[in-house]
Amino acid sequence: MEDEFYRIKRLPPYVIAEVNAMRHAARQAGKDIIDLGMGNPDLPPPAHVIDKLCEVARKDDAHGYSASSGIPGIRKAQANYYGRRFNVDLDPETEVVMTMGSKEGLGSLATAITAPGDVVLAPNPSYPIHTFGFIIAGATIRSVPTTPDERYWQSLDRAMAFTVPRPSILIVNYPSNPTAETVDLAFYERLVAWAKENKVWILSDLAYSELYFDGNPTRSILEVPGAKDVAVEFTSMSKTFSMAGWRVGFAVGNPKLIAALKRVKSYLDYGAFTPIQAAACAALNGPQDIVEKNRNLYQKRRDVMVEAFGRAGWDIPSPKASMFAWAPLPPALKEMGSLEFSKQLLTEAEVAVAPGVGYGEDGEGFVRIAMVENEQRLRQAARNIKRFLAARGVNTPAE
């Protein structure tokens, strides 16, 4: 029986899957659901990237097993990206490994470096792989806040003082999924010093590195001198180049952690399809105008969404980065809870969002809104939401 499997017993029901199933059923019934739930880019990759995929796929010798750590060209391309973007030097041989998206990389590294009973510090709320990748590997999670204020540092210090065994790994994710919070370089400088003092590995998820707004570029933890002594960082091409389904990501940084990840991956997979790796090289090495174009598009969607939803009676904080907004439930409906609110919004307003409780108990009271529909659809969502709120007696601002 399934419920007898050790690791399956450690996994709770996937809350977000409940809303996803309802969305699917509604669409099957012919309803026009505006899907702001899943962070699935609605834009295509650049044409030259698709052209390279097709070109290499036509070669007779491109269809065998590939290298699980990535072909040399892709690792060099990622190292060059870090040099251009963050002024960080990386050795493509020992400090870079390709992963099948950042999610697989985090899960495989958890398998590589975690022993049953190890304590891992993870943000709450957080993207599920940040906790469940380590739970599957047998670790115990101790939650720390996601918001990078003084409470965060106090929580880290309490965890080291009162947890047995002492935590050995800390997960950070900025820009955050789901909260869209960001940090500056001073935060990372303090974090690296803390990790060295406490002998803790840092795993930084920088999947939204290029989706920053208002001219404020995100920073990398590896910009801190000496960070490679304690840290690895994960990035993804999913959002930057609209290549989510291609499953191309990277882990870079500490050679010991990279070697452990390579070792486990060599047993688990043969690497991504070679034409995909060649096309990813073309993306990283080629024209970068698509990156700014996507960034500007998401910023415009953010501005339209915040303004339109606000006029509909739902005030949403404007995110500084990522493709998400982290929205508190309208105060009059807060007692409903994020899961029930998401269900009713889907059923009655035909708008899908992700319930915050699906990202951890501290996500209760919020929903995550993905900016993956065009501006016209976002305005339509706002009109639907306005009717939904009005039907519940929630006052909307005067037109």
Side-chain angles (χ1 to χ4, degrees), residues 4 29 86 219 268 359:
E4 294 174 355
F86 300 114
R219 309 302 295 262
L268 294 177
Y359 301 94

Side-chain angles (χ1 to χ4, degrees), residues 2 35 74 83-84 91 123 135 154 200 234 244 252 309 353 370-371 386 393-394:
E2 182 184 273
D35 188 3
I74 193 73
R84 291 192 311 268
D91 183 340
I135 288 171
Q154 293 164 8
V200 171
F234 293 87
V252 304
F309 282 33
V353 297
M371 298 179 284
K386 184 174 183 177
V394 178

Side-chain angles (χ1 to χ4, degrees), residues 299-372:
Q299 180 170 323
K300 186 74 187 300
R301 288 181 179 181
R302 176 201 67 172
D303 294 343
V304 167
M305 183 187 67
V306 168
E307 188 267 339
F309 282 33
R311 280 195 291 109
W314 189 6
D315 290 328
I316 295 175
S318 183
K320 296 179 181 178
S322 84
M323 63 195 306
F324 305 114
W326 186 239
L329 301 189
L333 303 179
K334 190 170 183 180
E335 293 305 312
M336 190 181 288
S338 64
L339 180 57
E340 184 60 27
F341 176 84
S342 300
K343 288 179 178 179
Q344 292 195 21
L345 197 68
L346 177 66
T347 303
E348 300 178 35
E350 299 186 344
V351 175
V353 297
V357 72
Y359 301 94
E361 63 181 282
D362 289 351
E364 185 53 275
F366 294 81
V367 295
R368 192 193 74 174
I369 304 172
M371 298 179 284
V372 292

